[in-house]
Amino acid sequence: MIKAYSLQTQVLIELPGSAACRLERRDGCGGAWLVLTDSGFVPDGGGVVPLPVTGNYLDKALFDGICQYRARNFSDETSAWDYTAWLRCGTADPIGITFGNYQAPQGLWGDIITSDDLRNTYLWGVDFRASNGASFTDAQIQFFIDAALAETERELNITVRKTRIVCEPQRRGLEKDRDYDESEPYYTYKRERVERNGMITTRKRPIISISRLDLLNRNEKIIPLLQESTFDPTKGQIKFFNRLPRQSDSMRSIEAAIYPYGPGTLERNLFYAVDYIAGFETSDDVPMDLREIIGKRAAVSLLNIIGRGLMSGFSSSSLSMDGVSESFSSTQSATSAYYGADVKEYKDDIEKYIAENKMKFGHITMGAL
């Protein structure tokens, strides 16, 4: 995997493996890809001769702003590109969704919000430096952004970050991170459900695409259903165009599954195998209201910690000497945070959004005793 490190006025790129690579750079969100040659990075036009690169490369010809790099095997034009995330160079202005100058880097999912969004928008005016001089880093901020994203996914029962999901990857020889992100068991076959609803509800939603939909008997394919189905991407519901075989239909695979126990065991031997991609294609596709709630949730966690770093919990203090007195009072106490009012406001917004939108991406779950 290609790695890049910003040194403010220079960028160090680490290329994978020992084979020569073709290296390209993109300047800014709307910039075109420039190819590395003996003369530096130039537009990829007629007569341009790429420079093969191995090991590390130090890019010194940079401008103020953000840039992205990509690399692939120099001798194989059909090989896949390997991308880096955005890198900040020079004395760039704040970069983020709220500043209108950020989009997901090509080849990567991107950031739901950036550290600059939290510093300069959600926590505008808040000092990120503690009373002892310690500064809050971008890496620490990113941790709370990731945690806020995960917690919002759990509360809404949705998947935001693009996730590739497959059934029984070990048996099929699939490798995690290369071929898939998460694995799921098979879906249980229920004839009553098919007769009544004619659909399967996936465990994760929303859905981007489905690559496999088979009705299986002891892991042996019975019926491929992908071409005979459609799906609701928001609700995560797969619907069939045609009816499935009746219980009285004679199919060797079904007969082998239930023999010698009879048709009563049919459902215990038939399963759906579903491979699909859940979430949003990139961070650019996430609805703005959902993005704002994730930003507010991250801000709440940061306010609690930053407030403690700026001032320990107390409500008032006073100092008197030779007839001169000075007093200081705050809304903070041992049980009330320094930014307690802001935290409460953000939490109220989050709870209201969750209550109003919990059913937007899912269904009403009902049961009976």
Side-chain angles (χ1 to χ4, degrees):
M1 175 182 290
I2 182 175
K3 298 180 180 179
Y5 307 93
S6 175
L7 308 176
Q8 191 170 1
T9 58
Q10 300 175 348
V11 171
L12 176 63
I13 301 107
E14 293 182 359
L15 299 173
S18 57
C21 295
R22 175 187 173 117
L23 184 63
E24 296 187 2
R25 186 186 76 196
R26 182 163 69 126
D27 298 331
C29 294
W33 285 103
L34 308 175
V35 58
L36 178 63
T37 67
D38 288 328
S39 304
F41 287 94
V42 299
D44 188 7
V48 173
V49 180
L51 176 67
V53 182
T54 56
N56 299 339
Y57 179 79
L58 184 63
D59 188 6
K60 301 179 180 179
L62 297 171
F63 72 107
D64 292 346
I66 57 175
C67 63
Q68 182 187 13
Y69 295 86
R70 67 179 183 180
R72 72 179 182 191
N73 190 293
F74 187 82
S75 57
D76 184 5
E77 294 185 356
T78 62
S79 60
W81 288 103
D82 194 4
Y83 295 86
T84 70
W86 288 117
L87 296 165
R88 187 195 305 269
C89 305
T91 56
D93 293 330
I95 298 169
I97 303 298
T98 58
F99 300 100
N101 58 2
Y102 177 87
Q103 67 182 33
Q106 186 173 341
L108 301 176
W109 191 78
D111 295 323
I112 193 75
I113 57 172
T114 68
S115 58
D116 285 348
D117 286 323
L118 280 174
R119 288 180 182 273
N120 301 286
T121 301
Y122 290 95
L123 301 178
W124 182 69
V126 176
D127 190 1
F128 273 66
R129 190 175 297 275
S131 57
N132 64 355
S135 179
F136 220 74
T137 66
D138 287 349
Q140 290 174 294
I141 295 175
Q142 188 61 48
F143 170 82
F144 289 103
I145 294 175
D146 295 338
L149 174 59
E151 189 172 356
T152 303
E153 287 181 323
R154 178 182 56 79
E155 287 196 355
L156 291 176
N157 193 23
I158 63 172
T159 299
V160 176
R161 189 179 295 274
K162 183 178 179 180
T163 306
R164 299 168 297 169
I165 304 164
V166 301
C167 287
E168 288 204 333
Q170 295 80 8
R171 179 173 296 184
R172 298 159 59 188
L174 302 180
E175 182 179 337
K176 189 173 184 180
D177 296 330
R178 186 194 67 183
D179 302 314
Y180 72 99
D181 300 312
E182 294 183 13
S183 62
E184 283 186 349
Y186 293 128
Y187 288 77
T188 303
Y189 175 85
K190 289 288 186 181
R191 178 167 295 278
E192 295 83 2
R193 182 187 305 162
V194 173
E195 291 175 347
R196 182 171 61 252
N197 300 325
M199 66 182 182
I200 304 171
T201 301
T202 57
R203 297 183 179 96
K204 295 184 182 295
R205 63 189 69 86
I207 297 177
I208 298 175
S209 63
I210 301 174
S211 58
R212 181 193 183 201
L213 177 56
D214 295 332
L215 182 61
L216 299 183
N217 157 42
R218 293 178 179 173
N219 302 325
E220 177 186 349
K221 182 184 295 186
I222 298 177
I223 304 174
L225 301 172
L226 186 59
Q227 300 301 322
E228 305 297 331
S229 64
T230 185
F231 66 92
D232 183 334
T234 302
K235 298 293 185 180
Q237 294 176 339
I238 303 174
K239 302 180 181 180
F240 299 112
F241 293 137
N242 300 326
R243 290 180 177 270
L244 295 179
R246 295 172 300 175
Q247 187 166 326
S248 59
D249 290 346
S250 59
M251 298 194 309
R252 291 185 178 181
S253 53
I254 295 182
E255 290 176 351
I258 65 176
Y259 178 82
Y261 305 105
T265 62
L266 176 63
E267 293 182 354
R268 305 176 191 175
N269 293 273
L270 295 176
F271 306 93
Y272 294 110
V274 186
D275 293 351
Y276 61 103
I277 300 177
F280 295 91
E281 186 66 38
T282 68
S283 60
D284 296 339
D285 302 314
V286 178
M288 292 302 294
D289 58 340
L290 178 58
R291 188 193 308 272
E292 183 186 16
I293 290 301
I294 295 172
K296 287 182 176 180
R297 190 184 292 278
V300 167
S301 299
L302 286 170
L303 284 172
N304 285 328
I305 295 175
I306 294 171
R308 185 179 67 248
L310 291 175
M311 184 181 297
S312 58
F314 72 95
S315 59
S316 63
S317 66
S318 62
L319 176 65
S320 178
M321 182 176 63
D322 295 336
V324 178
S325 62
E326 180 182 12
S327 62
F328 172 81
S329 299
S330 74
T331 59
Q332 189 183 24
S333 67
T335 58
S336 178
Y338 186 49
Y339 292 108
D342 298 303
V343 169
K344 182 180 183 304
E345 184 71 22
Y346 276 165
K347 280 188 172 181
D348 290 345
D349 292 343
I350 294 169
E351 292 175 0
K352 180 180 179 182
Y353 180 87
I354 296 297
E356 293 178 351
N357 292 273
K358 196 172 184 61
M359 293 298 105
K360 176 180 178 180
F361 300 97
H363 331 279
I364 298 177
T365 303
M366 301 182 64
L369 297 177

